[in-house]
Amino acid sequence: MRRSSFAFGVAVAVLAAGLVHAASLGAPFFADDWLFLDQARFRSLFQVLASPDPLGNYFRPLGRQVWFWFWGALSGESPVVFHAANLMVFAGSIVLLALLTRRVSGAFAGVVAAAFLALHYAADVPVRWASGSQDLLALALGLSALLAHVQGRRVLAGACFFLALLCKESVVLLPLAAIALDREAASLGARVRRATPLALAGVAWLALAAWATLRRGAPGAELAPSADAALAVPVLLARVTLGLEWPTGAWPFTRPIDPGGAVLVALLIALAGVGFAAPRVERAAATARAVRAARAGRSGATGKASAAPPVAAPGADGVRGGLVWSLAAALPVVVVAPLWSAYYFLFSLAGVGLALGSLVAHSRRPGLVAVLVLGLAGWASSQARGLQEFATAPSAWSGQSHVNPFYLDRGMAVVTRAVNDLRLQVPRPEPRTTFFLTGLPSFASVQVADGPLVRGVYRDSSLRSYYLSQLTRERLARGPRKLFFFHLASGRLQDRTRERGVFMSTALGQILNGKLDVAEAALEAAAANGEGDLGLAYVTSLVAYDRGDRERAHALFEEMGYRLGRDGASFTAAARQQLARADTLGAVRTLREGVHEHMLDAGLHGLLADVLVSHARTRPEGHVEAYAARLLDPESGRGWRRWAHVLATESRQREAIAALDRYARLDPAGSAADRGAQDLRAILVRMLPGGDIAQRAMKQELAR
């Protein structure tokens, strides 16, 4: 096969990858990106490397700190430049895999391997996410190490391996792949000795990583080993290779997905490149077979055929080496198998590409087989790529990746709107402004740590941001404040800083969350904000009661004119009669009067809550009364059932489930006969991550 044909085939594979991933150039920064940018901004490279990793989980200074410092300073923190750089690294990896495969199994095998990697969906997340630099750099440098090793440049191979480990430790078992691919040494012992520079590089990295760990904190915050991980990982590798991911309630490929015009064109171009190279390699293979047959005939004529040494099947070294590589590279996934995603296997899939290219190139009809295999592989990848679901609960056997393009696109859509809303409503925040955000979906990662996103948006290191649930007196006092609420219906951030009642609303929300210290701080802010006529004293007294300060709570009740009676049965009976006559207003007046006389009667508060929550206008007051009823009689199963409904109404699924479970423990017989409570709990479970309702709801955010 001519070099020009090889170069053309590889160039076409790179072009196909560019078409598949062209849309990534328009992606914004997301999640971890803001943390790495924040660490690198306004600092020298030495200062960045000397500071703790913002995630604190792994030691990856080259893939994180150095990369974000360099491109951030060079581009002015342009997401387009970061994504273009990721795409260039991936393109370089395709070329490196082609060169490595050509060295091991021939030129046509290299073209096939390059096309396989270019089309595979496992590269989607690293290319589309700026923080994917870690995976892509590890892939490129790992391939460089293997290529240098098979070329006999073993010191260079060790250096590349060391740098790859500084990007991501997922390539740690690369020396096993190098030993398997080494054809220069006949014995296994010699191959192992030739891999000494790689081993030394691994030891040097391990020592450096251990030092960094002792200095900066424990690694592996995301490690989640499970008992079945060792069994799951080979299955996951096979599934990812074949693109076997499927939506909830279906099986692979039973719901065809339109891959889009760009992906279809990329697939056709890649197949055309392989087809262009195939005739030349087929002619060369036919000539080689004829020569071998002629030699075999002459040997048989002289009676020496039986003495000829056995010859390995063409491409066998590449197939074996590629399989060893892919399995070795997949082994580190064992420690994170319950959180698996297809991109975890990216380096492993490069080994699959080498094995596949070797197998196809040395088949009897390499051109036809290559087109068929790559066509099927490309189509399967397009189906997994277009899946509009992702796994929402930890599981090594989930039908989908935990992070995939849909996961990114959904979160990035929220980030884009949030950044636009912040800039529009607060064009120039005052120095030391603290933003408090609430209602944001956690998957969007708009709010992490102490506000790297707002500092990135405004390029002001004095700014801070927190969830409203992290409100404290100190954070309120540090300077100007802005309160933004995420409006679920529109998916937009709304500035409610000047809205009266905002702190009372915050306090009520934190009561639902069970965060009484935050609720107390919000109540103090409400008092300073002049929200005293909105039930402030009443709620403050209930929070004091909940925190165990009964003396203060009773004093506050009496200051408001409430009497501390406990027997309001007559008021309850009268109200029930009024409700039977459909006199709801009269019942509410009676119950309120009863509460004033018998503040400590949980039954009065409970019945008042039941009446008030049935109307939208009085529902917030009903929630407060349900809270009071639960506090005053914590051993009442009915009180916890009522509180579960309040929590469910306010989308606190986990808390509502816990309240229903408390109801079941306090009143086993009543709970067992309560079909409504059982149905509510079943629905709430389906709304949790991993449930089918949660999966369907995910698509709504992307469709805004």
Side-chain angles (χ1 to χ4, degrees), residues 426 429-437 463-466 468 471-484 495-499 502-503 521-522 524-531:
V426 188
E430 298 178 52
R432 295 185 60 80
T433 294
T434 301
F435 291 76
F436 292 99
L437 311 172
L463 303 180
R464 299 289 184 272
S465 75
Y466 305 94
L468 203 50
L471 182 147
T472 64
R473 299 177 183 88
E474 294 74 22
R475 288 167 181 170
L476 281 169
R478 73 177 294 272
R481 56 179 177 253
K482 292 289 182 182
L483 275 69
F484 278 85
D495 185 357
R496 294 175 59 181
T497 306
R498 300 183 182 279
E499 183 177 312
V502 66
F503 286 108
E524 291 179 13
N529 203 39
E531 301 176 19

Short mmCIF file of all heavy atoms in Angstrom, two decimals, residues 426 429-437 463-466 468 471-484 495-499 502-503 521-522 524-531:
data_model
loop_
_atom_site.label_atom_id
_atom_site.label_comp_id
_atom_site.label_asym_id
_atom_site.label_seq_id
_atom_site.Cartn_x
_atom_site.Cartn_y
_atom_site.Cartn_z
N VAL A 426 -27.54 41.75 36.13
CA VAL A 426 -26.51 42.39 36.95
C VAL A 426 -25.29 42.62 36.06
O VAL A 426 -24.33 41.85 36.10
CB VAL A 426 -26.13 41.52 38.17
CG1 VAL A 426 -25.21 42.30 39.11
CG2 VAL A 426 -27.37 41.05 38.92
N PRO A 429 -21.64 43.91 38.89
CA PRO A 429 -21.85 43.79 40.34
C PRO A 429 -20.79 44.57 41.12
O PRO A 429 -19.66 44.71 40.67
CB PRO A 429 -21.73 42.29 40.59
CG PRO A 429 -20.88 41.79 39.47
CD PRO A 429 -21.21 42.65 38.28
N GLU A 430 -21.18 45.07 42.27
CA GLU A 430 -20.23 45.75 43.14
C GLU A 430 -19.20 44.75 43.67
O GLU A 430 -19.50 43.56 43.81
CB GLU A 430 -20.96 46.39 44.32
CG GLU A 430 -21.97 47.45 43.94
CD GLU A 430 -22.69 47.99 45.16
OE1 GLU A 430 -21.99 48.40 46.11
OE2 GLU A 430 -23.93 47.97 45.18
N PRO A 431 -17.99 45.22 43.96
CA PRO A 431 -17.00 44.31 44.54
C PRO A 431 -17.53 43.69 45.84
O PRO A 431 -18.29 44.30 46.57
CB PRO A 431 -15.80 45.24 44.82
CG PRO A 431 -15.96 46.36 43.84
CD PRO A 431 -17.44 46.56 43.70
N ARG A 432 -17.11 42.46 46.09
CA ARG A 432 -17.48 41.69 47.28
C ARG A 432 -18.97 41.34 47.32
O ARG A 432 -19.51 40.98 48.36
CB ARG A 432 -17.09 42.42 48.57
CG ARG A 432 -15.58 42.58 48.74
CD ARG A 432 -15.23 43.19 50.09
NE ARG A 432 -15.72 42.37 51.20
CZ ARG A 432 -15.10 41.29 51.65
NH1 ARG A 432 -13.99 40.86 51.08
NH2 ARG A 432 -15.60 40.60 52.67
N THR A 433 -19.62 41.40 46.18
CA THR A 433 -21.03 40.97 46.13
C THR A 433 -21.10 39.45 46.31
O THR A 433 -20.28 38.70 45.78
CB THR A 433 -21.66 41.35 44.79
OG1 THR A 433 -21.73 42.78 44.69
CG2 THR A 433 -23.08 40.79 44.66
N THR A 434 -22.10 39.03 47.09
CA THR A 434 -22.35 37.60 47.27
C THR A 434 -23.66 37.24 46.61
O THR A 434 -24.70 37.85 46.90
CB THR A 434 -22.41 37.24 48.77
OG1 THR A 434 -21.18 37.61 49.40
CG2 THR A 434 -22.63 35.74 48.95
N PHE A 435 -23.62 36.27 45.70
CA PHE A 435 -24.82 35.79 45.01
C PHE A 435 -25.34 34.56 45.76
O PHE A 435 -24.57 33.65 46.06
CB PHE A 435 -24.49 35.40 43.57
CG PHE A 435 -24.14 36.56 42.68
CD1 PHE A 435 -22.89 37.17 42.76
CD2 PHE A 435 -25.05 37.04 41.74
CE1 PHE A 435 -22.56 38.23 41.93
CE2 PHE A 435 -24.73 38.09 40.90
CZ PHE A 435 -23.48 38.69 41.01
N PHE A 436 -26.64 34.55 46.01
CA PHE A 436 -27.29 33.38 46.58
C PHE A 436 -28.27 32.84 45.53
O PHE A 436 -29.12 33.59 45.03
CB PHE A 436 -28.04 33.72 47.87
CG PHE A 436 -27.13 34.10 49.01
CD1 PHE A 436 -26.90 35.43 49.32
CD2 PHE A 436 -26.49 33.12 49.74
CE1 PHE A 436 -26.06 35.78 50.36
CE2 PHE A 436 -25.65 33.45 50.79
CZ PHE A 436 -25.42 34.79 51.10
N LEU A 437 -28.11 31.57 45.19
CA LEU A 437 -28.89 30.95 44.13
C LEU A 437 -29.73 29.81 44.70
O LEU A 437 -29.27 29.07 45.58
CB LEU A 437 -27.98 30.41 43.04
CG LEU A 437 -26.90 31.37 42.51
CD1 LEU A 437 -25.95 30.64 41.57
CD2 LEU A 437 -27.52 32.56 41.81
N LEU A 463 -15.87 38.29 44.14
CA LEU A 463 -17.25 37.82 44.15
C LEU A 463 -17.33 36.42 44.76
O LEU A 463 -16.40 35.64 44.67
CB LEU A 463 -17.83 37.81 42.73
CG LEU A 463 -17.81 39.13 41.97
CD1 LEU A 463 -18.42 38.94 40.59
CD2 LEU A 463 -18.56 40.21 42.74
N ARG A 464 -18.49 36.12 45.33
CA ARG A 464 -18.77 34.80 45.87
C ARG A 464 -20.19 34.41 45.50
O ARG A 464 -21.05 35.27 45.28
CB ARG A 464 -18.62 34.76 47.40
CG ARG A 464 -17.24 35.11 47.92
CD ARG A 464 -16.24 34.00 47.61
NE ARG A 464 -14.93 34.29 48.18
CZ ARG A 464 -13.98 35.00 47.57
NH1 ARG A 464 -14.21 35.48 46.34
NH2 ARG A 464 -12.82 35.21 48.15
N SER A 465 -20.44 33.11 45.45
CA SER A 465 -21.82 32.66 45.27
C SER A 465 -22.01 31.35 46.03
O SER A 465 -21.06 30.56 46.18
CB SER A 465 -22.16 32.47 43.79
OG SER A 465 -21.57 31.30 43.26
N TYR A 466 -23.24 31.17 46.51
CA TYR A 466 -23.60 29.97 47.28
C TYR A 466 -25.04 29.62 46.97
O TYR A 466 -25.82 30.45 46.50
CB TYR A 466 -23.46 30.22 48.80
CG TYR A 466 -22.10 30.70 49.23
CD1 TYR A 466 -21.83 32.06 49.37
CD2 TYR A 466 -21.08 29.80 49.51
CE1 TYR A 466 -20.59 32.52 49.78
CE2 TYR A 466 -19.83 30.24 49.91
CZ TYR A 466 -19.59 31.60 50.04
OH TYR A 466 -18.35 32.05 50.43
N LEU A 468 -28.70 29.11 48.27
CA LEU A 468 -29.43 29.78 49.34
C LEU A 468 -29.48 28.90 50.59
O LEU A 468 -29.59 29.39 51.71
CB LEU A 468 -30.84 30.13 48.87
CG LEU A 468 -31.56 31.27 49.59
CD1 LEU A 468 -30.70 32.50 49.69
CD2 LEU A 468 -32.87 31.59 48.89
N LEU A 471 -26.84 29.77 53.19
CA LEU A 471 -26.87 31.12 53.75
C LEU A 471 -26.44 31.10 55.22
O LEU A 471 -26.87 30.25 55.99
CB LEU A 471 -28.28 31.68 53.60
CG LEU A 471 -28.56 33.11 54.07
CD1 LEU A 471 -29.62 33.74 53.18
CD2 LEU A 471 -29.04 33.12 55.53
N THR A 472 -25.57 32.04 55.57
CA THR A 472 -25.17 32.21 56.97
C THR A 472 -25.12 33.70 57.27
O THR A 472 -25.11 34.55 56.37
CB THR A 472 -23.78 31.61 57.25
OG1 THR A 472 -22.79 32.32 56.47
CG2 THR A 472 -23.73 30.13 56.90
N ARG A 473 -25.05 34.03 58.56
CA ARG A 473 -24.96 35.44 58.97
C ARG A 473 -23.69 36.07 58.41
O ARG A 473 -23.70 37.22 57.95
CB ARG A 473 -24.97 35.54 60.49
CG ARG A 473 -26.23 35.00 61.15
CD ARG A 473 -26.12 35.07 62.67
NE ARG A 473 -27.30 34.50 63.30
CZ ARG A 473 -27.43 33.20 63.60
NH1 ARG A 473 -26.45 32.35 63.31
NH2 ARG A 473 -28.54 32.75 64.19
N GLU A 474 -22.59 35.31 58.43
CA GLU A 474 -21.31 35.85 57.95
C GLU A 474 -21.36 36.14 56.46
O GLU A 474 -20.84 37.17 56.00
CB GLU A 474 -20.19 34.85 58.25
CG GLU A 474 -19.90 34.63 59.74
CD GLU A 474 -20.96 33.79 60.44
OE1 GLU A 474 -21.68 33.04 59.74
OE2 GLU A 474 -21.06 33.89 61.68
N ARG A 475 -21.99 35.27 55.69
CA ARG A 475 -22.05 35.48 54.24
C ARG A 475 -22.99 36.62 53.90
O ARG A 475 -22.77 37.34 52.92
CB ARG A 475 -22.48 34.18 53.56
CG ARG A 475 -21.37 33.14 53.58
CD ARG A 475 -21.83 31.76 53.19
NE ARG A 475 -20.70 30.82 53.24
CZ ARG A 475 -20.81 29.51 53.15
NH1 ARG A 475 -22.00 28.94 52.99
NH2 ARG A 475 -19.74 28.75 53.23
N LEU A 476 -24.01 36.80 54.69
CA LEU A 476 -24.91 37.94 54.46
C LEU A 476 -24.21 39.26 54.76
O LEU A 476 -24.51 40.28 54.14
CB LEU A 476 -26.15 37.81 55.35
CG LEU A 476 -27.23 36.84 54.88
CD1 LEU A 476 -28.26 36.63 55.99
CD2 LEU A 476 -27.91 37.35 53.62
N ALA A 477 -23.25 39.24 55.69
CA ALA A 477 -22.63 40.47 56.17
C ALA A 477 -21.38 40.88 55.39
O ALA A 477 -20.86 41.97 55.61
CB ALA A 477 -22.28 40.33 57.65
N ARG A 478 -20.90 40.01 54.47
CA ARG A 478 -19.60 40.30 53.84
C ARG A 478 -19.65 41.41 52.80
O ARG A 478 -18.62 41.93 52.38
CB ARG A 478 -19.01 39.03 53.23
CG ARG A 478 -19.66 38.55 51.96
CD ARG A 478 -18.92 37.32 51.39
NE ARG A 478 -17.59 37.64 50.96
CZ ARG A 478 -17.29 38.09 49.74
NH1 ARG A 478 -18.25 38.29 48.84
NH2 ARG A 478 -16.03 38.34 49.41
N GLY A 479 -20.83 41.82 52.36
CA GLY A 479 -20.94 42.87 51.36
C GLY A 479 -22.32 42.87 50.71
O GLY A 479 -23.26 42.27 51.24
N PRO A 480 -22.45 43.52 49.55
CA PRO A 480 -23.75 43.52 48.85
C PRO A 480 -24.17 42.09 48.52
O PRO A 480 -23.33 41.19 48.38
CB PRO A 480 -23.47 44.31 47.57
CG PRO A 480 -22.24 45.10 47.87
CD PRO A 480 -21.44 44.30 48.83
N ARG A 481 -25.48 41.87 48.40
CA ARG A 481 -25.96 40.52 48.11
C ARG A 481 -26.98 40.55 46.98
O ARG A 481 -27.70 41.53 46.80
CB ARG A 481 -26.56 39.87 49.35
CG ARG A 481 -27.66 40.66 50.01
CD ARG A 481 -28.20 39.92 51.23
NE ARG A 481 -29.21 40.68 51.93
CZ ARG A 481 -29.03 41.28 53.09
NH1 ARG A 481 -27.84 41.22 53.69
NH2 ARG A 481 -30.01 41.94 53.67
N LYS A 482 -27.01 39.44 46.25
CA LYS A 482 -27.99 39.25 45.19
C LYS A 482 -28.63 37.89 45.37
O LYS A 482 -27.93 36.89 45.59
CB LYS A 482 -27.32 39.33 43.80
CG LYS A 482 -26.79 40.71 43.43
CD LYS A 482 -27.92 41.67 43.15
CE LYS A 482 -27.41 43.03 42.73
NZ LYS A 482 -28.52 43.99 42.49
N LEU A 483 -29.95 37.85 45.26
CA LEU A 483 -30.68 36.60 45.41
C LEU A 483 -31.34 36.24 44.08
O LEU A 483 -32.16 37.01 43.55
CB LEU A 483 -31.75 36.73 46.50
CG LEU A 483 -31.30 36.48 47.94
CD1 LEU A 483 -30.38 37.61 48.40
CD2 LEU A 483 -32.49 36.38 48.87
N PHE A 484 -30.95 35.09 43.53
CA PHE A 484 -31.51 34.64 42.26
C PHE A 484 -32.25 33.32 42.47
O PHE A 484 -31.73 32.39 43.07
CB PHE A 484 -30.41 34.44 41.22
CG PHE A 484 -29.98 35.70 40.53
CD1 PHE A 484 -29.04 36.53 41.08
CD2 PHE A 484 -30.56 36.06 39.32
CE1 PHE A 484 -28.65 37.70 40.45
CE2 PHE A 484 -30.19 37.23 38.67
CZ PHE A 484 -29.23 38.05 39.24
N ASP A 495 -33.87 37.64 39.31
CA ASP A 495 -33.32 38.44 40.40
C ASP A 495 -34.45 38.86 41.33
O ASP A 495 -35.31 39.66 40.96
CB ASP A 495 -32.61 39.67 39.83
CG ASP A 495 -31.91 40.48 40.91
OD1 ASP A 495 -32.02 40.11 42.10
OD2 ASP A 495 -31.25 41.47 40.57
N ARG A 496 -34.45 38.30 42.54
CA ARG A 496 -35.51 38.63 43.50
C ARG A 496 -34.93 39.33 44.73
O ARG A 496 -35.50 39.30 45.81
CB ARG A 496 -36.24 37.35 43.91
CG ARG A 496 -37.02 36.73 42.75
CD ARG A 496 -37.65 35.40 43.11
NE ARG A 496 -38.58 35.51 44.24
CZ ARG A 496 -39.23 34.47 44.74
NH1 ARG A 496 -39.07 33.27 44.20
NH2 ARG A 496 -40.03 34.62 45.77
N THR A 497 -33.79 40.00 44.53
CA THR A 497 -33.11 40.66 45.64
C THR A 497 -34.01 41.68 46.33
O THR A 497 -34.05 41.77 47.56
CB THR A 497 -31.84 41.35 45.14
OG1 THR A 497 -31.02 40.40 44.44
CG2 THR A 497 -31.04 41.94 46.30
N ARG A 498 -34.73 42.46 45.55
CA ARG A 498 -35.55 43.55 46.11
C ARG A 498 -36.99 43.12 46.37
O ARG A 498 -37.83 43.94 46.75
CB ARG A 498 -35.53 44.74 45.16
CG ARG A 498 -34.13 45.30 44.92
CD ARG A 498 -34.16 46.53 44.04
NE ARG A 498 -32.83 47.03 43.77
CZ ARG A 498 -32.14 47.80 44.62
NH1 ARG A 498 -32.67 48.15 45.77
NH2 ARG A 498 -30.92 48.22 44.29
N GLU A 499 -37.27 41.87 46.16
CA GLU A 499 -38.64 41.39 46.34
C GLU A 499 -38.94 41.20 47.82
O GLU A 499 -38.22 40.52 48.55
CB GLU A 499 -38.82 40.07 45.59
CG GLU A 499 -40.23 39.53 45.64
CD GLU A 499 -40.37 38.27 44.83
OE1 GLU A 499 -39.91 38.28 43.67
OE2 GLU A 499 -40.93 37.29 45.34
N VAL A 502 -38.76 37.74 50.37
CA VAL A 502 -37.85 36.76 49.81
C VAL A 502 -37.16 35.95 50.91
O VAL A 502 -36.94 34.74 50.77
CB VAL A 502 -36.82 37.43 48.87
CG1 VAL A 502 -35.89 38.35 49.63
CG2 VAL A 502 -36.03 36.39 48.11
N PHE A 503 -36.82 36.60 52.02
CA PHE A 503 -36.14 35.87 53.09
C PHE A 503 -37.10 34.98 53.87
O PHE A 503 -36.72 33.91 54.35
CB PHE A 503 -35.42 36.84 54.02
CG PHE A 503 -34.17 37.41 53.41
CD1 PHE A 503 -34.12 38.73 53.01
CD2 PHE A 503 -33.05 36.62 53.22
CE1 PHE A 503 -32.97 39.26 52.44
CE2 PHE A 503 -31.90 37.14 52.65
CZ PHE A 503 -31.86 38.47 52.25
N ALA A 521 -31.04 31.92 60.18
CA ALA A 521 -30.31 33.05 59.58
C ALA A 521 -31.20 33.81 58.61
O ALA A 521 -31.18 35.05 58.55
CB ALA A 521 -29.05 32.55 58.88
N ALA A 522 -32.01 33.08 57.83
CA ALA A 522 -32.92 33.72 56.88
C ALA A 522 -33.99 34.52 57.62
O ALA A 522 -34.40 35.61 57.16
CB ALA A 522 -33.56 32.68 55.98
N GLU A 524 -33.63 36.01 60.51
CA GLU A 524 -32.98 37.24 60.97
C GLU A 524 -32.86 38.24 59.82
O GLU A 524 -33.07 39.44 60.01
CB GLU A 524 -31.61 36.92 61.55
CG GLU A 524 -31.66 36.14 62.86
CD GLU A 524 -30.28 35.83 63.39
OE1 GLU A 524 -29.29 36.43 62.89
OE2 GLU A 524 -30.16 35.00 64.31
N ALA A 525 -32.51 37.74 58.63
CA ALA A 525 -32.43 38.62 57.47
C ALA A 525 -33.81 39.18 57.11
O ALA A 525 -33.94 40.34 56.70
CB ALA A 525 -31.84 37.87 56.28
N ALA A 526 -34.85 38.35 57.27
CA ALA A 526 -36.21 38.81 57.01
C ALA A 526 -36.60 39.93 57.95
O ALA A 526 -37.25 40.91 57.56
CB ALA A 526 -37.18 37.64 57.14
N ALA A 527 -36.19 39.83 59.22
CA ALA A 527 -36.48 40.89 60.19
C ALA A 527 -35.79 42.18 59.78
O ALA A 527 -36.38 43.27 59.82
CB ALA A 527 -36.04 40.45 61.58
N ALA A 528 -34.52 42.08 59.35
CA ALA A 528 -33.78 43.26 58.92
C ALA A 528 -34.35 43.85 57.64
O ALA A 528 -34.22 45.04 57.36
CB ALA A 528 -32.31 42.91 58.73
N ASN A 529 -35.03 43.00 56.85
CA ASN A 529 -35.59 43.44 55.57
C ASN A 529 -37.03 43.93 55.70
O ASN A 529 -37.68 44.20 54.70
CB ASN A 529 -35.53 42.26 54.58
CG ASN A 529 -35.55 42.71 53.14
OD1 ASN A 529 -34.93 43.71 52.79
ND2 ASN A 529 -36.24 41.96 52.29
N GLY A 530 -37.53 44.03 56.93
CA GLY A 530 -38.87 44.54 57.15
C GLY A 530 -39.98 43.60 56.75
O GLY A 530 -41.03 44.02 56.28
N GLU A 531 -39.78 42.31 56.96
CA GLU A 531 -40.79 41.33 56.58
C GLU A 531 -41.57 40.81 57.79
O GLU A 531 -42.09 39.71 57.80
CB GLU A 531 -40.11 40.16 55.85
CG GLU A 531 -39.37 40.58 54.59
CD GLU A 531 -38.63 39.44 53.92
OE1 GLU A 531 -38.97 38.27 54.19
OE2 GLU A 531 -37.71 39.71 53.11
#
